[in-house]
Amino acid sequence: MPTRALGPFEVSAIGLGCMNLSHAYGQPPSREQAAALLHRALDLGVTLLDTAALYGFGANETLVGEVLASQRDRFVLASKCGMQGVDGVRVIDGRPETIQATCEDSLRRLRTDVIDLYQLHRWDKQVPIEDSVGALADLVRAGKIRSIGLSEVSAPTLRRAHAVHPIASVQSEYSLWTRNPEIAVLQACRELGTAFIAFSPVGRGFLTDVALDPAAFDAKDIRRAMPRFTPSHLAANAALLTGLREVAHEAGCTLAQLALAWLLARGEHIVPIPGTTSIAHLEENLGALPITLSPAQLARLDHLMPPSAIHGGRYSTQNQSEVDTEEF
């Protein structure tokens, strides 16, 4: 298993986003199915598992803790604070006292005495980033967490945070159809020695060989509120996949593997964390690791799917207002 640096850790070059096992895309799998997938990921050499207090309003951390507490030394545990469920409602709260309380709750659910990478899920714009990162730094000094990450922040915010305490990682959406990190934050990460964790690296299922039908999405599927998944936008975006499939065929891989191989080629500091509920898809995703795309193929992919060709925003107006990332 090839590895990449993430703060003080060496982690598998492809990690696992655990959100899907409890949250976001409709009915989650059974506990038995989720446990089987987590165990299979470890057996295949995945050493970065990413969860959050938000996912399932604590259920995802509880799942990871119950299933893997006895194997805690086999993986780097990443979780998030600053956005969680309060009385059944999603709340962004980056106040130091809330971060400290959330960490205690996460440690209990995860059945561990330390979280390896604790990330601010969203910057609460009512709280200076320096205050939130200061609270995380206090948790490092207390031995509750080992390193600090941020999610969905811009390059200037990253630099402000890094001045308070070294930032091990920035986690944001990044894929062939979401190129916003290329505006500034990827370069800022390179300069600061910060890893970049790419979530939704296969476009929430768009960059796969499975044709998506918005009408078939579960009522609780978060893609229903995302503009680029509306039928008209999705149809326009799907037309872009024809050229990508040609490159995948030439490279001898699936579309998902192509998307992951492209990401891995964008920089040694990038660690994709595809999520899935399927062991077959987990194995398919890890099959991207030995694929090396030629400079000509990488250039073709950039030409086939530039940011200007994508129809629809990635978030609703409300959710977009909650992130700090640069936008095209």
Side-chain angles (χ1 to χ4, degrees), residues 57-242:
F57 288 5
N60 198 242
E61 287 183 325
T62 298
L63 170 70
V64 172
E66 289 179 352
V67 172
L68 298 180
S70 64
Q71 301 181 68
R72 181 66 181 83
D73 60 345
R74 295 182 64 187
F75 62 95
V76 170
L77 175 61
S79 193
K80 307 182 197 74
C81 61
M83 183 164 66
Q84 58 271 331
V86 178
D87 297 328
V89 178
R90 181 177 64 86
V91 173
I92 295 174
D93 186 346
R95 292 174 297 168
E97 59 270 29
T98 301
I99 288 173
Q100 292 165 2
T102 303
C103 182
E104 294 295 338
D105 290 340
S106 291
L107 289 167
R108 174 179 49 79
R109 288 190 292 259
L110 290 163
R111 301 191 181 191
T112 186
D113 58 359
V114 63
I115 297 169
D116 298 315
L117 174 66
Y118 205 41
Q119 305 156 96
L120 189 66
H121 207 157
R122 290 290 186 273
W123 171 32
D124 179 351
K125 297 173 186 178
Q126 303 304 309
V127 179
I129 190 67
E130 291 83 358
D131 291 359
S132 296
V133 173
L136 291 167
D138 288 341
L139 291 172
V140 173
R141 287 186 284 270
K144 303 285 187 179
I145 67 176
R146 291 195 170 104
S147 61
I148 296 171
L150 305 174
S151 180
E152 294 277 27
V153 298
S154 64
T157 301
L158 168 60
R159 295 183 190 283
R160 286 171 55 193
H162 194 78
V164 175
H165 188 281
I167 302 300
S169 67
V170 169
Q171 180 174 157
S172 288
E173 184 173 359
Y174 188 29
S175 70
L176 273 164
W177 84 331
T178 299
R179 307 282 289 274
N180 309 78
E182 296 174 5
I183 298 172
V185 78
L186 273 184
Q187 180 58 34
C189 286
R190 287 189 189 95
E191 294 171 6
L192 298 173
T194 298
F196 185 92
I197 300 175
F199 77 76
S200 298
V202 294
R204 303 183 189 273
F206 174 72
L207 296 167
T208 72
D209 292 311
V210 178
L212 298 180
D213 177 10
F217 288 166
D218 185 272
K220 294 184 178 181
D221 192 317
I222 62 174
R223 292 173 294 184
R224 285 186 171 274
M226 295 177 175
R228 62 179 55 172
F229 285 100
T230 60
S232 60
H233 286 322
L234 188 60
N237 290 324
L240 301 172
L241 295 178
T242 300

